């Protein structure tokens, strides 16, 4: 036996995959416990319909699904295959859905999965039960198929058992044992199991198990209807389980799969039916599988009517079996993976469907064994990504139910989130409402996207209206605000960006060990720097301002940065980290007239020499103390001005009174995004993530290789010599051809990369798209194409930055 003692709770498709993957990496002192029998334990895996569709807007989720497909294709149990690769077919019955299928086909191409748009006739050729009169087009993914979940569990149990892993059926977990903030084991109804690491793969019971370790999981089990027809005469004589592609009719929230001469029908169009983990019966208490609830026939009525219309052959059949099966939903539709922030050694792999199960098993196994995941970018899936308000029961229930309702909906990238709103408002919120702000949510904050009060600014300006899709949740005011920022001065609410305070006598050394740049500089210095993982991948880009010898303010990207800092704190108590975001606020005052606004309001020297670029100081604006940092992510002269939340409104009003006579405005996030792309500024989580290194992402300047050491330095030195891809700036001449991100990039007929961020550059008069491309194509002047729905958009590689390359406006 090798490796630490590991207990995996749950032997469903996730727990079995993790046991297989972790034992393949040499950890064999592993015990898997489940309250149910093996291999059909009674959880969601036991009744899952098994449809595996790889199309997803998330690159990570598609890659997790692709690995699951690849692995399941290699598994069998005594000759019975664990995956039937019949392909997937999504059909469109409305013009809007046809357009959406082209977008989805673009995602698949971006992420490297074969697919194509097919005609209505081809849809019927692939699935002869489909009513030709109802269908307009389809999306075919040949590598999709049917996972035999219970067989896959058994196959992976056998592989893991062969390496020494122990599986214990009929062991109900009663508690997670801990001492001094660390896991020590698991208590079951048949005795205690000692452990150094406990991984919760309990699925719909996950919140109940996690609570034993003091962890609050934002997961809700919701019932999803699955029905089976009796024999369909048109399928008579079908001896193979499945011969037609799995079918999705997303316009009606339906999917279908073969089962010999019958059909399975899944339905998401009914009302949300949530249940708590505590309400789910145990295996012994349940009459059958505890993950299966009584079928509510009335909720299925519309589904059956629509099925008979799309698949007329079903009119000769009846529904003979049906359940309301429980599945896990989260607030953002993504899995919950990672270690508890409070109990060392307690991990979760939750809210994972069969589609992504083997991929998650591999990801978590790598994370545990190697200390990081090398196969997948997991920043979207990390369980510690949530802000405190996102763990509130009311919020979790509302958003989980919303995600159930929207699971097959056509969702725009800028589509506003639903209730509960508003949750977090800056001190400027009332003033922004008075100015007619169109708000979008950012980390729970209400953040203006543009202001209707600026409508008159758009008059007489040359602001091109983008194509219909890009013009949703857009206004010409966005362009006017961007241009006005370059012309005069604008106030931007930057409160939604996370702010951390790092203090203590060990703070400087602590930050030096985590950051790629030199941050232990003079008081008043501000440094743009990176946080790297141990493999050299970018965990975040941050700004670090030294406000006192033992006090730093960090401009972070989200809760994962706080989690990373907290996990690396020294045990001697010489460093403290706290989130100061809720008690503070920030205004970005930017534009060529920014100094004309600010200097008369203060006795402090804000001249170019008095406060140089990337320097900070404590000052007063009128009667309010502020921390002023001379930096700008829109590429203009100006400052980020921070103060406490109680005095924020006073600062806003003071600046507003001074700015208005000079033509100053309030501007929103739409203008901000356009301006930052003109300057080539990266956005972590969109342009660069864990899978990218600084040299690929174009931020190698933030790495100081002459530093003695920092996390990821050794790995980064190995990666530096082998840069095969680059984050590249593309420009688009056609002003209406504004893309929005995640579209494929083509060199001729060959897909070579994908778009990250995109916007129209209202200063340069061109569309801008940043994209990941092979290094040999990232050459200025290279002509390429971007796949945008059903068309190809001409683009060209450009030198960056597109605006003010000499930095004269920033440094003025």
């Amino acid at each position: 036996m090798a490796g630490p003692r590991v207990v995996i709770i749950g032997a469903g498709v996730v727990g079995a995959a993790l046991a297989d993957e972790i034992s393949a990496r040499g950890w064999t002192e592993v015990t898997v416990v489940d309250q149910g029998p093996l291999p059909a334990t009674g959880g969601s895996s036991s009744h899952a319909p098994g449809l595996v569709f790889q199309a997803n807007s998330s690159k990570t989720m598609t890659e997790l699904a692709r690995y699951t497909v690849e692995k399941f294709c290699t598994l069998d149990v005594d000759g019975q295959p664990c995956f039937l690769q019949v392909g997937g077919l999504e059909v469109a019955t409305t013009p809007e859905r046809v357009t959406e299928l082209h977008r989805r086909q673009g995602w698949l191409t971006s992420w490297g999965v074969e697919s194509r748009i097919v005609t209505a006739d081809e849809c019927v050729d692939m699935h002869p039960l489909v009513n030709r009169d109802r269908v307009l087009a389809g999306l075919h993914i040949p590598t999709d198929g049917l996972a035999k979940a219970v067989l896959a569990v058994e196959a992976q149990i056998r592989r893991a058992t062969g390496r020494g892993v122990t599986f214990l059926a009929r062991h109900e977990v009663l508690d997670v044992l801990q001492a001094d903030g660390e896991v020590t084991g698991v208590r079951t109804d048949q005795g205690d199991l000692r452990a150094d690491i406990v991984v919760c793969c309990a699925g719909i019971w996950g919140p109940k198990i996690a609570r034993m370790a003091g962890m609050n999981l934002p997961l809700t089990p919701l019932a999803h209807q699955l029905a089976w027809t009796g024999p369909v005469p048109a399928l008579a004589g079908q001896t193979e389980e499945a011969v037609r592609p799995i079918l999705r009719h997303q316009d009606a929230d339906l999917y279908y799969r073969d089962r010999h001469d019958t059909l399975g029908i899944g339905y998401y169009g009914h009302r949300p039916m949530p249940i708590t983990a505590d309400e789910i019966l145990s295996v012994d208490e349940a009459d059958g599988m505890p993950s299966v609830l009584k079928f509510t026939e009335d909720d299925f009525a519309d589904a059956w009517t629509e099925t008979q219309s799309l698949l007329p052959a079903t009119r000769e059949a009846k529904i003979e079996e049906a359940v309301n099966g429980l599945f896990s939903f989260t607030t953002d539709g993504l899995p919950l993976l990672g270690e508890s922030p409070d109990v060392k050694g307690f991990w979760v792999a939750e809210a994972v469907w069969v589609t992504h199960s083997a991929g998650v098993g591999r990801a978590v196994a790598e994370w545990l064994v190697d200390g990081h995941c090398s196969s997948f970018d997991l920043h979207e899936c990390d369980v510690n990504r949530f802000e405190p308000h996102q763990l509130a029961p009311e919020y979790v229930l509302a958003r989980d139910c919303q995600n159930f309702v929207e699971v097959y909906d056509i969702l725009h990238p800028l589509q506003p989130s639903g209730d509960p709103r508003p949750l977090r408002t800056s001190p400027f919120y009332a003033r922004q409402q008075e100015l007619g702000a169109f708000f979008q949510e950012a980390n729970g904050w209400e953040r203006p996207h543009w202001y209707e009060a600026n409508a008159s600014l758009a008059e007489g300006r040359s602001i091109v209206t983008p194509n219909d899709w890009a013009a949703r949740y857009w206004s010409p005011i966005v362009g006017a605000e961007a241009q006005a920022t370059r012309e005069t001065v604008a106030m931007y609410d930057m409160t939604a960006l996370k702010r951390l305070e790092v203090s203590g006598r060990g703070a400087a050394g602590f930050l030096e060990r985590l950051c790629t740049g030199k941050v232990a500089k003079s008081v008043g210095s501000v440094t743009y720097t990176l946080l790297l993982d141990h493999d050299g991948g970018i965990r975040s880009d941050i700004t670090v301002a030294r406000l006192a010898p033992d006090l730093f303010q960090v401009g972070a990207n989200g809760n994962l940065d706080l989690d990373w800092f907290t996990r690396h704190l020294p045990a001697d108590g010489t460093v403290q980290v706290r989130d100061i975001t809720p008690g503070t606020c920030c205004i970005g005052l930017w534009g060529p007239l920014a100094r004309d606004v600010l200097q008369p309001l203060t006795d402090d020297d804000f001249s170019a020499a008095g406060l140089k670029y990337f320097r900070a100081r404590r000052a007063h604006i009128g009667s309010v103390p502020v921390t002023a940092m001379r930096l700008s992510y829109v590429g203009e002269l100006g400052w980020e001005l921070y103060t406490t939340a109680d005095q924020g409104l006073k600062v806003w009003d003071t600046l507003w009174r001074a700015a208005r006579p000079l033509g100053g405005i309030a501007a929103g996030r739409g203008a901000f995004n356009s301006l930052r792309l003109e300057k080539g500024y990266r956005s972590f989580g969109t342009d660069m993530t864990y899978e990218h290194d600084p040299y690929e992402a174009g931020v190698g300047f933030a790495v100081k290789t002459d530093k003695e050491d920092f996390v990821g330095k050794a790995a980064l030195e190995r990666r530096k010599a082998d840069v095969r891809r680059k984050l590249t700036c593309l420009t688009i001449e056609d002003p209406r051809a504004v893309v929005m991100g995640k579209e494929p990039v083509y060199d001729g007929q060959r897909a070579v990369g994908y778009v990250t961020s995109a916007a129209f550059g209202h200063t340069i008069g061109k569309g801008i798209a940043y994209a990941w491309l092979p290094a040999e194509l990232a050459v200025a002047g290279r002509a390429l194409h971007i796949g945008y729905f059903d068309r190809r958009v001409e683009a060209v590689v450009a030198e960056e930055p597109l605006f003010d390359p000499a930095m004269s406006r920033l440094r003025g």
Side-chain angles (χ1 to χ4, degrees):
M1 305 291 280
R5 297 170 298 180
V6 179
V7 171
I8 299 171
I9 302 172
V13 73
V14 180
L18 176 56
D20 179 34
E21 295 283 344
I22 203 170
S23 61
R25 286 161 178 77
W27 283 16
T28 55
E29 197 167 345
V30 178
T31 302
V32 184
V33 298
D34 200 292
Q35 63 178 330
L38 300 176
T41 61
S44 299
S45 302
S46 302
H47 73 262
L51 284 76
V52 176
F53 284 94
Q54 296 165 86
N56 199 293
S57 62
S58 164
K59 181 174 183 283
T60 297
M61 295 298 280
T62 295
E63 291 176 340
L64 292 170
R66 180 168 57 198
Y67 179 79
T68 301
V69 167
E70 292 169 353
K71 181 177 182 180
F72 280 12
C73 282
T74 69
L75 299 178
D76 71 273
V77 175
D78 302 330
Q80 298 181 74
C82 294
F83 193 76
L84 307 177
Q85 200 160 39
V86 293
L89 178 63
E90 301 182 12
V91 295
T93 59
T94 63
E96 294 79 13
R97 185 64 64 173
V98 174
T99 302
E100 172 70 357
L101 292 187
H102 282 283
R103 184 168 72 126
R104 295 172 67 79
Q105 199 269 338
W107 295 339
L108 288 160
T109 303
S110 291
W111 315 146
V113 177
E114 178 188 355
S115 65
R116 67 186 182 96
I117 299 295
V118 295
T119 66
D121 288 336
E122 289 176 296
C123 290
V124 176
D125 289 342
M126 294 178 186
H127 203 298
L129 298 189
V130 169
N131 182 352
R132 172 62 181 80
D133 295 336
R134 291 290 316 281
V135 177
L136 302 178
L139 171 61
H140 180 234
I141 307 99
T143 52
D144 284 350
L146 283 169
K148 308 283 290 180
V150 175
L151 278 181
V153 169
E154 184 172 359
Q156 291 175 103
I157 286 176
R158 289 185 180 187
R159 285 161 50 128
T161 301
R163 302 187 193 103
V165 174
T166 300
F167 285 81
L168 300 177
R170 297 287 186 179
H171 279 60
E172 182 179 359
V173 173
L174 304 177
D175 199 5
V176 175
L177 305 178
Q178 315 162 45
D180 300 323
E182 296 186 17
V183 155
T184 60
V186 168
R187 176 155 294 157
T188 78
D189 59 353
Q190 298 191 44
D192 293 353
L193 300 169
R194 311 313 299 175
D196 305 300
I197 295 171
V198 173
V199 188
C200 177
C201 304
I204 53 178
W205 289 278
K208 181 178 180 179
I209 299 296
R211 197 164 58 243
M212 296 175 185
M215 196 173 182
N216 184 9
L217 287 186
L219 181 160
T220 303
L222 281 114
H224 158 59
Q225 292 197 305
L226 176 64
W228 295 94
T229 69
V232 178
L235 304 181
Q238 181 176 319
T239 56
E240 295 182 61
E241 180 176 350
V243 297
R244 281 164 289 277
I246 53 177
L247 181 67
R248 282 209 279 196
H249 175 26
Q250 291 170 295
D251 285 320
D253 299 301
L254 285 161
Y255 64 77
Y256 305 93
R257 56 150 296 176
D258 287 11
R259 189 178 69 178
H260 302 292
D261 63 348
T262 69
L263 285 177
I265 306 168
Y267 186 44
Y268 287 104
H270 55 79
R271 61 191 169 90
M273 294 182 273
I275 187 173
T276 68
D278 294 311
E279 293 174 299
I280 304 171
L281 299 177
S282 68
V283 171
D284 291 333
E285 294 171 326
D287 183 13
M289 282 188 284
S291 61
V292 169
L293 306 181
K294 184 179 179 180
F295 184 65
T296 50
E297 189 173 353
D298 289 347
D299 290 305
F300 195 73
D302 290 344
W304 184 231
T305 299
E306 180 62 23
T307 295
Q308 291 175 310
S309 174
L310 183 73
L311 309 174
T314 59
R315 296 169 188 168
E316 301 179 65
K318 295 181 179 180
I319 299 298
E320 293 195 353
E321 306 171 51
V323 300
N324 285 6
L326 295 175
F327 288 96
S328 299
F329 282 78
T330 61
T331 55
D332 56 9
L334 294 165
L336 308 173
L337 312 179
E339 187 180 21
S340 162
D342 302 313
V343 180
K344 185 178 180 181
F346 182 79
W347 289 67
V348 299
E350 289 290 344
V352 181
W353 292 5
V354 173
T355 299
H356 310 101
S357 58
V360 165
R362 176 175 181 170
V364 176
E366 289 180 352
W367 200 349
L368 285 167
V369 175
D370 302 330
H372 58 85
C373 177
S374 56
S375 297
F376 309 98
D377 164 36
L378 296 182
H379 87 275
E380 294 178 314
C381 305
D382 193 313
V383 70
N384 297 295
R385 65 188 180 269
F386 300 104
E387 297 290 327
H389 74 274
Q390 294 172 317
L391 300 176
E394 178 182 340
Y395 180 95
V396 171
L397 180 61
R399 290 294 172 91
D400 289 359
C401 289
Q402 178 184 341
N403 281 327
F404 177 89
V405 170
E406 294 178 347
V407 70
Y408 278 176
D409 286 0
I410 298 171
L411 300 176
H412 192 274
L414 296 178
Q415 186 159 321
S417 55
D419 290 332
R421 284 182 67 186
L423 278 171
R424 309 175 83 182
T425 56
S426 77
F428 328 128
Y429 183 62
R431 298 292 186 264
Q432 293 164 345
Q433 288 179 304
E434 293 168 2
L435 293 172
F438 176 79
F439 291 101
Q440 294 276 32
E441 184 187 13
N443 296 324
W445 294 95
E446 296 296 321
R447 182 169 65 185
H449 212 61
W450 70 79
Y451 294 88
E452 288 296 331
N454 294 327
S456 61
L457 275 178
E459 298 173 4
R461 293 179 181 269
S462 178
I463 298 171
V464 178
T465 301
N467 56 79
D468 291 346
W469 182 251
R472 295 188 189 183
Y473 311 110
W474 175 89
S475 168
I477 298 170
V478 167
E481 290 178 356
Q483 292 175 0
T485 302
R486 297 265 190 246
E487 296 163 359
T488 55
V489 63
M491 293 165 55
Y492 287 82
D493 182 358
M494 304 300 289
T495 302
L497 299 182
K498 199 170 193 70
R499 294 170 291 284
L500 306 177
E501 181 184 271
V502 181
S503 61
R505 58 185 173 86
F510 169 76
L511 288 168
E512 282 289 321
R513 288 191 298 274
L514 293 182
C515 296
T516 60
K518 296 179 180 179
V519 298
K521 298 184 292 190
S522 62
V523 171
S525 65
V526 182
T527 306
Y528 174 82
T529 185
L530 307 172
L531 303 177
L532 303 184
D533 212 330
H534 296 280
D535 65 347
I538 301 170
R539 286 197 64 94
S540 190
D541 65 334
I542 61 175
T543 55
V544 179
R546 191 171 200 176
L547 304 181
D550 295 339
L551 178 66
F552 296 80
Q553 181 172 311
V554 175
N557 281 298
N559 211 56
L560 289 180
D561 294 342
L562 174 60
D563 181 68
W564 185 252
F565 279 168
T566 303
R567 291 181 188 279
H568 287 83
L569 285 173
D572 60 9
T574 57
V575 183
Q576 295 80 45
V577 176
R578 67 186 185 102
D579 183 359
I580 61 172
T581 313
T584 56
C585 58
C586 178
I587 297 171
L589 181 71
W590 295 316
L593 301 184
R595 186 174 285 119
D596 299 87
V597 172
L598 186 60
Q599 188 61 77
L601 302 176
T602 179
D603 293 332
D604 293 277
D605 184 3
F606 279 89
S607 67
L611 186 62
K612 296 180 180 179
Y613 185 54
F614 262 77
R615 296 289 296 180
R617 73 144 51 102
R618 298 281 177 77
H620 287 84
I621 297 177
S623 58
V624 179
V626 300
T627 298
M629 298 186 194
R630 193 173 164 203
L631 57 155
S632 162
Y633 281 87
V634 301
E636 293 292 336
L637 169 68
W639 299 267
E640 291 181 358
L641 303 169
Y642 299 89
T643 190
T644 53
D646 61 323
Q647 298 182 90
L649 185 59
K650 180 66 174 177
V651 171
W652 177 281
D653 288 344
T654 301
L655 292 172
W656 183 253
R657 284 193 298 270
R660 289 302 289 160
L662 299 177
I665 64 167
R669 190 68 179 184
F672 177 94
N673 198 46
S674 171
L675 297 170
R676 69 108 179 158
L677 286 177
E678 289 183 332
K679 282 298 293 179
Y681 293 143
R682 278 64 168 145
S683 173
F684 177 80
T686 303
D687 298 316
M688 55 190 185
T689 66
Y690 293 2
E691 66 178 304
H692 307 116
D693 71 46
Y695 303 110
E696 297 171 329
V699 288
F701 63 87
V703 179
K704 304 306 178 186
T705 54
D706 58 342
K707 284 184 61 172
E708 182 176 346
D709 198 16
F710 52 82
V711 172
K713 182 181 180 183
L716 186 60
E717 288 174 347
R718 294 190 294 269
R719 295 175 67 155
K720 183 178 181 179
D722 189 27
V723 176
R724 301 183 182 183
R725 57 185 175 180
K726 287 188 176 181
L727 184 62
T728 307
C729 179
L730 305 176
T731 57
I732 302 166
E733 290 293 336
D734 182 350
R736 283 185 52 80
V738 175
V739 302
M740 300 199 70
K742 304 187 178 183
E743 298 89 357
V745 179
Y746 293 90
D747 179 29
Q749 296 302 308
R750 181 173 62 108
V752 293
Y754 61 91
V755 174
T756 57
S757 294
F760 190 79
H762 295 282
T763 311
I764 66 168
K766 296 180 182 180
I768 306 168
Y770 272 78
W772 279 102
L773 296 175
E776 64 271 17
L777 297 180
V779 178
R782 180 71 181 239
L784 301 167
H785 290 86
I786 299 172
Y788 189 62
F789 293 95
D790 60 346
R791 60 175 293 199
R792 297 285 179 92
V793 174
E794 293 182 357
V796 63
V797 175
E799 294 280 2
E800 58 173 332
L802 299 169
F803 177 78
D804 188 27
M807 303 283 281
S808 59
R809 294 172 75 102
L810 275 168
R811 298 179 184 277

